[in-house]
Amino acid sequence: MKKLVFYTLLLLTTAVSAQIKTQGKNDGAFPTFYQQRSSLFRLLPQTKGDIIFLGNSITNGSEWDELFADPRIKNRGISGDVTAGVLNRLDEVTERKPAKIFLLIGINDLSAGTAPDTVAKNIFLIAKKVSGQTPTTQLYVQSLLPVNNTLNKFPTHVNKGEQIKRVNQLLRSNAALYHYTFVDLFPSFCNAEGKLDTLYTNDGLHQKGAGYMLWKHLVYPLVYDLQNKPSLIPLPQSLKWNEGYFQLYNCKTIVVKEASLQKEALRLQQKLLQKGLIVSIGRAAKNNEPFIELRLAKTDAPQLKEEAYHLEVSGQRVLLNANTAHGIFNGLQTLEQLMRDNTMIDACTITDWPAFAWRGYMVDVGRNFQSVDLLKQQIEIMGRYKLNIFHFHLTEDIAWRLAIKQYPQLTAAENMQRNKGEYYTEEELKDLILFCKERYITLIPEIDMPGHSAAFTRAFGISMQSDSGMVIVKNILKEVCETYDVPYIHIGADEVRISNKNFVPEVTAYIEKLGKKVIGWQPGGNFTNTTIRQMWMDDNGKIENNSEIRYIDSRHLYLNHMDPLESVVTIFNREIGNKQKGDSRALGGIICVWPDRRIENEADNLRTNPVYPAMLAFAERSWRGGGIPGWTAKIGSPGSENAKQFAEFEDRLMDQKQEYFRRLPFPYVAQASLNWKLYGPYENNGDLSKTFAPEDKNFSLNSATPVVQAVGGTIVLRHWWYPLISGVIEKPAENTTWYASTSIWSEDNHVQDFWIGFNNLSRSTATDSPKWGTWNDLQSEVWVNGKLIPPPHWKRGGQKGNSETPLTDEGYEYREPTKITLQKGWNQVLIKAPVGSFKGKDWQNPVKWMFTFITVPAGYLGWAAN
């Protein structure tokens, strides 16, 4: 009886399918179930920006929002529906202005006798209507799925194998013409005979649970605008994608035989539980089920074998081998990125090891205190990307942040200038050290001496370099060395006049006697050769060429000085320690955040500094090695090899942002596809307001030959540390004006958000705020379609820089984006960038000859205060 009803419904829709012009709310021409579903859809709240799955019973059969754990995903499947039915109710979908539509329709048309060419034409009409009614919606037309006639069900459907292939061929070949993306699901659902695999169906037509799991895996990257394969950061040294998938949802066991790996097995078990997957830990899998095995085994690597791992993913198992538990941990971080859809893992073979032994991140909590919770957030992310050194700068002129039992006055509120009374107790620091160790991260405490020690002087009324000061310093070091399980003590020793030449050598010998190794800043004090040097300035080869000294590179790796877009560029291009890989002396590098300027709240550490995007770029470079000799702030010219390599990395970076940083500050947008044409130099003789040919209405930007072409959202014309760091102009000259132009495509007329800036203020120096009515002090300007774009209404326009005045809206990344009305089609952008002298009025106000102009995706809220 049920079959009879189903066939009757199909016959009722046959006549309608030929009348493809039927549209609107003519639901009465369709079956009862169609009317029920369609009437409900029209009454549901009309939310915007949804992701719609549209089709017949095959679509109807899934709980899409639960499958993706995403309430934006809506089910618009109706059992028995045909192409005419979709057209009839399409207005309900397009009026929502969805972000995406995934359409799968046509098998019922074929079952009713409609020719394949007609089915395809009807789908093309659907595509045309979507494009016309909601042009910004991305339409994905999915192939018809295979059928299987061996199960003796739905005979008028499952005998349409050849017609299905014909429809799919037409859908594939006409995708560009009708402005949709064709998604070929068909091959993935076939068995060896080319029929719908019985793993996915029990009636030859519809999907079982396993089929929907595969479907999710296949369209997941399209739903979330990701690369087809999981984007791994850092990219493994050796990666090969293989055929097939590991069914993560069917995995019930983590196989571990070594007791030393139980901690890592528990770590993985917890991660899977967070994904809703319950697995046990045992010595063997049961009933031939898919399983994950962690195993200590010889893993070859050319260097740093203790961190190397080998990962093999097949249909039956995931095998992770390493020489040590640390290697297993590293492999688990990669494995978690491979599990991006929590459903299946693409088969692959990976062999991996780091290029540098030290891959670090430093925070300064002396000037601006950070809570333990915020520190743990950053350390957790360090571990995910295989960074292994947490440099903890605890003491400063502003405040001393580490409790010392013998000297409580050090952390007394009256001796602090900011965040008064905020410091770390012994228990808190021990907790942080343990938290780091659990992630194979070494915490390095820095107690700065004898410089950056005004807080010490306020507490005791004496200098560290005095005889009595030295006694106190040694008592402090003794307590720290005996209390905390850390292998290194960082003593700073930079930016100070050494009045006691015995201070640094004596302190170094004392720390080493207490069983710790010493690190100091270079240039810095009169260190012994046993001290590891952390380079913060160019040393002209003094340390690099000394065969007795080990060193860490932090030169031009201060994130607080970097424009967010430029930070990723310069760090990705960076050759750490001027080497392609580390050795016994070149240990690696540490990126640093020095927010000298007071911040409003601790969240601004991450909101106003490009911490996470830069951290991921550094994780890539410090793990993979390589890079470009010299320091550069440019991506490269369009089409260059450097630009291609950066674009490939940026694709992976944007996937990571989408997947793992949706609720965290991540001030970065894709910039590798934005090309600029630069015209100049025009001599302005110091008159920055002077106009030149590109501003003339008769000047054709499209036909003019550019002098330079550049890629990116931030274009550094001349870096403020030139010639140490190169920008896009090879030989920049004072008193010149340059123009830059680009074109931006828009599908319709709409208001678009943009990041626009001309002087990204360092979070360290006390730089002046821009003057009212200007973008910057260089009289820079920007036009879109000939319309001058006004600068922001600065909250503190023209205010003289003050280290105690927090930044509020001076940077494009932490103020509300500029809104510009774009017209349908191409929009012309023109930037004017004049410069006078390259000498700033003082060291805190350097001349930054640069500009930022780039589209910001809808819904970006990184500028908003937390």
Side-chain angles (χ1 to χ4, degrees):
M1 183 63 183
K2 290 181 180 178
K3 287 185 180 180
L4 179 60
V5 171
F6 180 80
Y7 296 141
T8 302
L9 293 178
L10 287 177
L11 289 172
L12 287 172
T13 62
T14 302
V16 178
S17 67
Q19 301 172 9
I20 209 64
K21 293 183 180 180
T22 301
Q23 55 182 304
K25 300 180 182 179
N26 189 24
D27 292 359
F30 295 89
T32 303
F33 183 71
Y34 176 100
Q35 296 175 44
Q36 294 166 353
R37 292 278 284 175
S38 181
S39 64
L40 172 62
F41 295 156
R42 295 183 191 282
L43 295 176
L44 292 174
Q46 196 176 82
T47 51
K48 304 295 183 183
D50 289 332
I51 299 168
I52 305 290
F53 278 74
L54 178 62
N56 50 38
S57 59
I58 300 173
T59 297
N60 193 172
S62 176
E63 303 296 339
W64 294 102
D65 58 340
E66 289 187 68
L67 188 64
F68 283 87
D70 191 337
R72 296 176 302 159
I73 298 179
K74 304 294 195 300
N75 191 336
R76 289 297 181 268
I78 298 181
S79 294
D81 206 2
V82 290
T83 52
V86 170
L87 277 164
N88 178 68
R89 59 190 176 94
L90 190 60
D91 63 307
E92 183 275 323
V93 174
T94 57
E95 284 174 3
R96 294 173 171 272
K97 304 300 180 186
K100 301 181 180 184
I101 297 173
F102 286 84
L103 174 68
L104 196 159
I105 195 71
I107 186 62
N108 291 328
D109 297 71
L110 295 177
S111 173
T114 304
D117 287 33
T118 301
V119 173
K121 289 178 181 178
N122 295 349
I123 293 173
F124 300 153
L125 182 55
I126 294 171
K128 287 180 67 175
K129 289 187 175 297
V130 169
S131 179
Q133 295 170 6
T134 176
T136 59
T137 297
Q138 293 178 267
L139 175 62
Y140 297 89
V141 175
Q142 301 167 106
S143 67
L144 273 62
L145 296 174
V147 291
N148 191 323
N149 59 2
T150 65
L151 299 175
N152 299 318
K153 296 180 180 180
F154 298 101
T156 61
H157 292 76
V158 298
N159 65 349
K160 297 297 188 290
E162 292 305 312
Q163 292 93 324
I164 289 172
K165 292 179 182 178
R166 171 61 181 167
V167 171
N168 289 344
Q169 188 274 326
L170 290 168
L171 296 179
R172 177 186 292 106
S173 60
N174 285 277
L177 180 62
Y178 291 99
H179 308 292
Y180 62 78
T181 300
F182 177 68
V183 184
D184 194 3
L185 301 175
F186 186 94
S188 298
F189 285 85
C190 287
N191 61 17
E193 290 74 40
K195 301 179 185 296
L196 180 57
D197 197 318
T198 53
L199 174 65
Y200 308 123
T201 187
N202 59 0
D203 63 11
L205 177 63
H206 299 95
Q207 297 298 309
K208 297 192 301 183
Y212 287 112
M213 289 295 186
L214 175 59
W215 195 343
K216 173 191 175 182
H217 181 72
L218 295 173
V219 301
Y220 186 88
L222 301 175
V223 168
Y224 294 113
D225 295 317
L226 306 173
Q227 302 300 300
N228 185 44
K229 296 291 187 182
S231 294
L232 306 179
I233 292 181
L235 185 68
Q237 303 287 359
S238 173
L239 167 61
K240 178 186 176 184
W241 296 109
N242 302 321
E243 293 294 324
Y245 319 97
F246 176 80
Q247 296 174 349
L248 186 61
Y249 61 89
N250 272 336
C251 178
K252 305 300 180 186
T253 308
I254 300 170
V255 175
V256 179
K257 297 178 181 178
E258 294 94 346
S260 61
L261 296 184
Q262 283 296 313
K263 182 178 71 172
E264 304 313 319
L266 287 168
R267 189 192 309 275
L268 176 58
Q269 184 185 47
Q270 186 61 34
K271 289 288 186 183
L272 292 173
L273 184 61
Q274 293 170 3
K275 299 173 182 293
L277 302 170
I278 300 174
V279 299
S280 61
I281 299 174
R283 295 181 63 84
K286 301 176 182 178
N287 303 321
N288 295 318
E289 293 173 343
F291 64 96
I292 300 173
E293 182 173 2
L294 311 181
R295 188 171 65 185
L296 291 178
K298 182 180 178 181
T299 303
D300 290 330
Q303 61 189 70
L304 300 169
K305 294 182 180 181
E306 66 277 9
E307 290 201 66
Y309 66 93
H310 179 80
L311 182 61
E312 191 85 33
V313 179
S314 63
Q316 183 58 29
R317 73 172 182 177
V318 174
L319 178 60
L320 175 57
N321 288 341
N323 297 309
T324 67
H326 190 174
I328 294 291
F329 174 86
N330 289 337
L332 288 178
Q333 308 318 304
T334 301
L335 180 59
E336 185 174 0
Q337 293 183 28
L338 290 170
M339 298 176 183
R340 64 177 178 178
D341 61 23
N342 303 335
T343 303
M344 293 183 171
I345 306 175
D346 291 294
C348 61
T349 304
I350 293 173
T351 302
D352 203 11
W353 63 90
F356 289 93
W358 289 46
R359 307 177 300 279
Y361 169 61
M362 190 221 80
V363 296
D364 168 17
V365 294
R367 294 177 174 92
N368 288 286
F369 182 81
Q370 295 187 39
S371 67
V372 170
D373 285 345
L374 185 61
L375 293 171
K376 285 185 174 181
Q377 178 197 118
Q378 295 165 79
I379 293 167
E380 174 69 25
I381 292 172
M382 287 177 62
R384 291 182 195 171
Y385 295 96
K386 306 183 181 73
L387 299 186
N388 63 355
I389 300 291
F390 179 58
H391 179 174
F392 201 20
H393 185 82
L394 284 159
T395 67
E396 257 303 330
D397 290 333
I398 297 291
W400 184 287
R401 302 291 185 193
L402 178 61
I404 303 297
K405 293 177 185 177
Q406 193 172 346
Y407 303 113
Q409 61 267 47
L410 281 168
T411 49
E414 60 269 22
N415 291 324
M416 297 183 177
Q417 296 177 331
R418 292 184 198 153
N419 311 128
K420 295 187 175 185
E422 298 281 11
Y423 62 92
Y424 304 97
T425 66
E426 176 183 326
E427 292 73 19
E428 286 173 327
L429 183 53
K430 284 183 174 179
D431 179 48
L432 279 173
I433 292 169
L434 179 60
F435 191 82
C436 285
K437 283 185 177 181
E438 289 172 345
R439 290 152 182 80
Y440 297 90
I441 294 170
T442 300
L443 186 147
I444 297 176
E446 180 179 355
I447 300 175
D448 218 337
M449 59 183 73
H452 297 266
S453 57
F456 178 98
T457 301
R458 285 193 299 273
F460 298 108
I462 57 174
S463 165
M464 281 185 172
Q465 297 191 67
S466 65
D467 291 343
S468 53
M470 175 69 85
V471 172
I472 296 172
V473 166
K474 287 185 176 180
N475 287 339
I476 292 170
L477 289 171
K478 186 174 189 295
E479 180 176 324
V480 170
C481 290
E482 292 180 349
T483 302
Y484 301 107
D485 184 15
V486 293
Y488 303 93
I489 300 294
H490 200 307
I491 63 171
D494 66 318
E495 297 184 320
V496 63
R497 187 178 72 84
I498 300 292
S499 58
N500 179 355
K501 293 189 180 301
N502 293 325
F503 182 89
V504 171
E506 191 172 335
V507 162
T508 300
Y510 187 73
I511 294 172
E512 290 176 342
K513 184 179 179 180
L514 291 169
K516 310 292 183 182
K517 298 174 184 176
V518 179
I519 304 173
W521 289 105
Q522 179 72 32
N526 50 330
F527 299 114
T528 64
N529 283 353
T530 58
T531 300
I532 299 171
R533 313 298 174 83
Q534 184 172 358
M535 295 189 292
W536 63 278
M537 280 183 62
D538 182 40
D539 67 343
N540 296 316
K542 178 180 178 182
I543 298 301
E544 292 172 272
N545 296 323
N546 188 321
S547 61
E548 298 182 13
I549 297 175
R550 295 186 295 165
Y551 63 93
I552 311 156
D553 197 358
S554 288
R555 297 167 300 179
H556 189 42
L557 292 175
Y558 286 12
L559 306 187
N560 47 286
H561 287 314
M562 293 182 178
D563 171 283
L565 296 173
E566 179 253 339
S567 72
V568 172
V569 173
T570 195
I571 292 173
F572 174 78
N573 286 329
R574 185 59 180 274
E575 190 180 53
I576 297 172
N578 298 333
K579 291 180 177 290
Q580 292 285 297
K581 62 181 181 180
D583 54 35
S584 60
R585 292 181 49 254
L587 301 180
I590 297 177
I591 53 172
C592 306
V593 182
W594 299 98
D596 296 64
R597 194 160 178 162
R598 186 171 74 86
I599 60 174
E600 191 66 41
N601 58 71
E602 68 169 14
D604 284 350
N605 282 292
L606 304 179
R607 194 173 68 90
T608 63
N609 292 292
V611 171
Y612 289 142
M615 182 183 289
L616 268 62
F618 183 72
E620 172 87 0
R621 183 54 62 220
S622 60
W623 182 274
R624 297 249 332 146
I628 302 170
W631 302 347
T632 182
K634 59 187 177 182
I635 293 173
S637 58
S640 66
E641 187 59 31
N642 288 346
K644 291 177 183 177
Q645 290 179 8
F646 179 80
E648 188 280 330
F649 168 73
E650 185 181 75
D651 285 342
R652 289 185 282 119
L653 180 69
M654 297 312 297
D655 279 11
Q656 293 287 325
K657 177 181 179 179
Q658 169 75 350
E659 287 283 277
Y660 307 113
F661 292 89
R662 295 182 192 178
R663 296 176 179 84
L664 294 173
F666 201 97
Y668 189 87
V669 297
Q671 59 173 326
S673 62
L674 183 58
N675 297 332
W676 294 91
K677 297 178 180 179
L678 276 69
Y679 310 91
Y682 297 93
E683 294 185 9
N684 61 41
N685 298 315
D687 180 3
L688 304 187
S689 65
K690 192 172 182 178
T691 63
F692 298 97
E695 293 183 58
D696 193 311
K697 292 182 178 179
N698 296 321
F699 185 87
S700 175
L701 292 170
N702 293 325
S703 59
T705 301
V707 176
V708 180
Q709 295 191 63
V711 177
T714 287
I715 302 298
V716 176
L717 302 173
R718 176 190 182 273
H719 199 280
W720 43 104
W721 291 332
Y722 176 88
L724 194 61
I725 303 165
S726 63
V728 301
I729 299 177
E730 186 175 348
K731 295 180 179 179
E734 294 183 322
N735 301 317
T736 57
T737 297
W738 282 76
Y739 293 85
S741 71
T742 191
S743 296
I744 297 174
W745 176 264
S746 176
E747 292 289 348
D748 61 358
N749 299 321
H750 73 285
V751 176
Q752 178 65 53
D753 287 345
F754 285 89
W755 276 348
I756 304 178
F758 291 89
N759 180 12
N760 191 259
L761 273 61
S762 168
R763 278 68 63 189
S764 181
T765 53
T767 312
D768 300 343
S769 296
K771 295 182 177 66
W772 297 111
T774 70
W775 283 103
N776 66 347
D777 290 343
L778 302 180
Q779 300 187 38
S780 300
E781 293 181 310
V782 54
W783 296 265
V784 176
N785 296 327
K787 182 179 179 181
L788 188 66
I789 306 301
H793 184 76
W794 306 109
K795 295 179 180 178
R796 292 197 300 264
Q799 179 172 302
K800 182 175 175 55
N802 187 315
S803 292
E804 296 307 310
T805 302
L807 298 171
T808 57
D809 63 348
E810 292 83 356
Y812 63 78
E813 68 274 27
Y814 49 89
R815 67 170 174 263
E816 185 172 4
T818 300
K819 296 185 182 299
I820 299 175
T821 300
L822 297 182
Q823 63 189 22
K824 183 177 180 179
W826 288 107
N827 295 263
Q828 190 75 52
V829 180
L830 179 66
I831 302 285
K832 180 181 182 179
V835 72
S837 170
F838 289 147
K839 185 178 180 181
K841 69 176 185 177
D842 55 47
W843 71 272
Q844 304 209 76
N845 287 273
V847 175
K848 292 191 173 183
W849 197 20
M850 59 188 295
F851 68 84
T852 297
F853 185 96
I854 195 164
T855 302
V856 180
Y860 178 83
L861 294 175
W863 57 272
N866 292 338

